[in-house]
Amino acid sequence: MKASAITFSRRHILAGLAGASTLLPLAACGTVATPAAETEAKTEEQAAPAKEEPQEPEVQVAKWFASQSVSDLKQGLVDSFNEANDKFQAEYVGTPGNQGELIEKIRVGLAAGERDIGIFNCSPIWLANIGAAGLAAELDSLIARDQMDMTEYAELALDAHRLQGNLIAIPHYVNSLIVAYNKDLMTKLGEELPGDSWTWDDFVTLARKLTTGEGSQKQFGVSSIPRGFNPTLPWIWMAGGSTYDDEGDPSKSTMSSSETRAGLQWVADLYHKHQVVPRPGEVEGNPFQGGIAPLIVTTGAAMRSYRGDGVPFAWDVIGIPAGPAGRSTFAGSYAQALYSDSSAKDAAWELLKHVTGRPGALAFLSVTLSVPVYQPGAENEYRNADGQPDGIDNVLNYLTYLRALPANPKMLAIYGPVYGTHLGNIWSGEMSVEEATAAMDTMVDGELG
């Protein structure tokens, strides 16, 4: 059944019912009007101007399709939006599963005639999939119409949500790579704390000094490095490499290029040549959190695990080391897009601004330590939150060297089977960088056609 985005207020319906109830006693009294009286009444009725009943404003309702995580927070944002608006209202629809399942849910709704889909959550790695499906509206024209001050949002974070130049989503926050270190253990071992200008060579030198022992007694200098495709991209970029001929509009995979292989080889060497970070499954738990490994390459959001009583030692954070081509990191985020054919587009746009602006930024700070894209929230509430490390500016600084994730419209199909599988084979030592990248190129090019 086709759902309508236009409803009438409860007050309007009740008023109509009340008006109808006043006619019931007249119909039931049993009196009969005389012909003269009927003629007089008709004359008066024709002479008197018709009275127009006051009309209640129409209310446009937009649905927010979003993951079921932190559902109370999202429902709270919808509630605050509804309380502040008479003309526009919203409904939160929690959706189980991953981004692919969410896209499929929207497609099923469209096939059933639903058009009151308003906004939906998306990760930037799937933007091209969403764009290819025609699900997301471009937002630049709405921003221009409303004369929004977009300088309040981190520019590179917004740019990472463009598809072929058009902004199609606005992120709540970004989450990317940092390095955390155990200040107490570093001091005990007599090592100088890392500085923000450090390089790949500095990182390897320090990690080798901090790695001690052999066999079961070995203590790794680096607890772990995120192993997925997104967090591997910075090492590729910082070596001067790229995953595609054009990451904004790819037609060919370039994982086998010498620069891309060099970035992957640098990470692989940390596992296999320098042996400063454990291979997958080599150690249990988190040696950094246990106070054993002095360094960990992690994300800003993961700092939550170390705050307060999370660890029994003093710790701090620093930016990731710069590679031969400088410093870059990926723009991981949680963002919202506006459905392109929504029957509640005005309500949806107002809702999107609400949940990605200040109300949303402050709400999400209660559940994540990712950096708000809304800059006043980042500079104030985020920077000054209880328990932030001394080097919090090093986390905020990655807003200045973010880079967009590749926009492959086939990404949902290849993300795990191609990238997840073959990168995992590199880190475990089952495949060389040359073997794995050649296999990835073949599979990705086959999908791209």
Side-chain angles (χ1 to χ4, degrees):
M1 181 178 69
K2 184 175 181 178
S4 173
I6 306 299
T7 63
F8 291 95
S9 70
R10 181 172 178 270
R11 183 172 58 186
H12 183 83
I13 295 170
L14 292 177
L17 291 175
S21 66
T22 61
L23 300 177
L24 294 177
L26 296 175
C29 69
T31 59
V32 179
T34 64
E38 289 181 355
T39 301
E40 183 179 354
K42 288 180 179 178
T43 302
E44 290 178 354
E45 182 180 344
Q46 293 172 355
K51 292 183 179 180
E52 293 185 4
E53 293 185 6
Q55 297 293 314
E56 292 289 340
E58 293 178 342
V59 177
Q60 195 179 86
V61 182
K63 292 181 179 179
W64 179 12
F65 279 69
S67 64
Q68 293 178 325
S69 63
V70 296
S71 57
D72 289 346
L73 180 153
K74 293 169 185 173
Q75 185 61 56
L77 282 171
V78 165
D79 291 343
S80 63
F81 176 80
N82 289 341
E83 290 170 5
N85 289 275
D86 293 326
K87 186 178 179 181
F88 301 128
Q89 295 285 279
E91 177 186 344
Y92 164 59
V93 180
T95 55
N98 57 29
Q99 187 77 56
E101 292 167 317
L102 173 59
I103 292 174
E104 185 60 26
K105 184 177 180 67
I106 294 174
R107 283 175 173 162
V108 169
L110 296 179
E114 295 181 14
R115 290 295 183 272
D116 58 350
I117 300 167
I119 65 175
F120 58 95
N121 71 260
C122 61
S123 165
I125 193 65
W126 316 127
L127 286 186
N129 290 91
I130 292 166
L135 298 181
E138 64 85 16
L139 304 178
D140 293 300
S141 60
L142 294 172
I143 290 169
R145 183 197 69 184
D146 292 357
Q147 298 183 333
M148 286 180 63
D149 182 7
M150 299 310 290
T151 62
E152 291 189 326
Y153 296 80
E155 182 178 5
L156 293 181
L158 288 180
D159 287 345
H161 294 79
R162 292 188 178 278
L163 189 63
Q164 296 180 351
N166 296 315
L167 184 67
I168 65 168
I170 296 179
H172 298 273
Y173 55 75
V174 286
N175 185 39
S176 204
L177 295 184
I178 58 165
V179 177
Y181 58 94
N182 183 327
K183 295 170 70 174
D184 289 346
L185 188 54
M186 296 276 286
T187 300
K188 180 180 178 180
L189 295 173
E191 294 298 335
E192 186 176 338
L193 302 180
D196 190 53
S197 61
W198 66 337
T199 65
W200 284 8
D201 288 343
D202 297 328
F203 181 89
V204 171
T205 298
L206 179 60
R208 294 184 65 172
K209 287 181 180 179
L210 295 171
T211 300
T212 61
E214 297 290 340
S216 61
Q217 302 300 311
K218 186 169 185 175
Q219 294 185 3
F220 290 93
V222 183
S223 179
S224 63
I225 293 179
R227 302 182 181 118
F229 177 66
N230 292 12
T232 297
L233 288 168
W235 313 114
I236 292 174
W237 294 332
M238 290 189 288
S242 178
T243 53
Y244 297 94
D245 53 348
D246 181 349
E247 291 191 334
D249 187 17
S251 62
K252 181 179 176 60
S253 175
T254 56
M255 295 296 287
S256 293
S257 72
S258 58
E259 295 86 358
T260 297
R261 283 181 170 175
L264 292 172
Q265 191 64 59
W266 183 81
V267 181
D269 285 348
L270 297 178
Y271 291 105
H272 311 307
K273 178 181 178 180
H274 307 302
Q275 298 182 15
V276 295
V277 59
R279 299 180 186 183
E282 192 171 357
V283 299
E284 295 183 1
N286 183 332
F288 176 80
Q289 198 162 353
I292 299 172
L295 302 173
I296 185 170
V297 181
T298 184
T299 66
M303 295 191 309
R304 178 171 294 276
S305 301
Y306 314 140
R307 300 200 316 171
D309 297 329
V311 293
F313 52 80
W315 62 281
D316 210 340
V317 291
I318 195 74
I320 54 175
R327 179 182 280 166
S328 296
T329 196
F330 73 103
S333 79
Y334 186 71
Q336 303 300 325
L338 191 156
Y339 172 53
S340 57
D341 195 28
S342 177
S343 60
K345 194 168 185 177
D346 290 336
W349 174 233
E350 292 303 320
L351 176 63
L352 192 151
K353 290 191 291 184
H354 179 79
V355 301
T356 59
R358 183 172 181 80
L362 298 188
F364 275 96
L365 276 181
S366 66
V367 295
T368 180
L369 282 183
S370 301
V371 181
V373 174
Y374 178 72
Q375 288 293 273
E379 291 295 331
N380 297 313
E381 286 83 1
Y382 177 81
R383 182 194 296 277
N384 299 314
D386 291 340
Q388 295 288 43
D390 292 340
I392 191 62
D393 282 351
N394 293 315
V395 184
L396 286 165
N397 283 346
Y398 68 47
L399 292 173
T400 65
Y401 52 88
L402 292 173
R403 181 164 165 173
L405 292 162
N408 185 343
K410 305 292 186 178
M411 190 62 79
L412 279 169
I414 66 175
Y415 191 82
V418 177
Y419 295 126
T421 298
H422 290 89
L423 289 175
N425 288 337
I426 294 173
W427 313 146
S428 66
E430 295 178 48
M431 295 180 77
S432 68
V433 169
E434 288 75 14
E435 293 169 333
T437 53
M440 284 188 273
D441 278 348
T442 299
M443 297 176 74
V444 173
D445 287 345
E447 286 289 337
L448 286 172

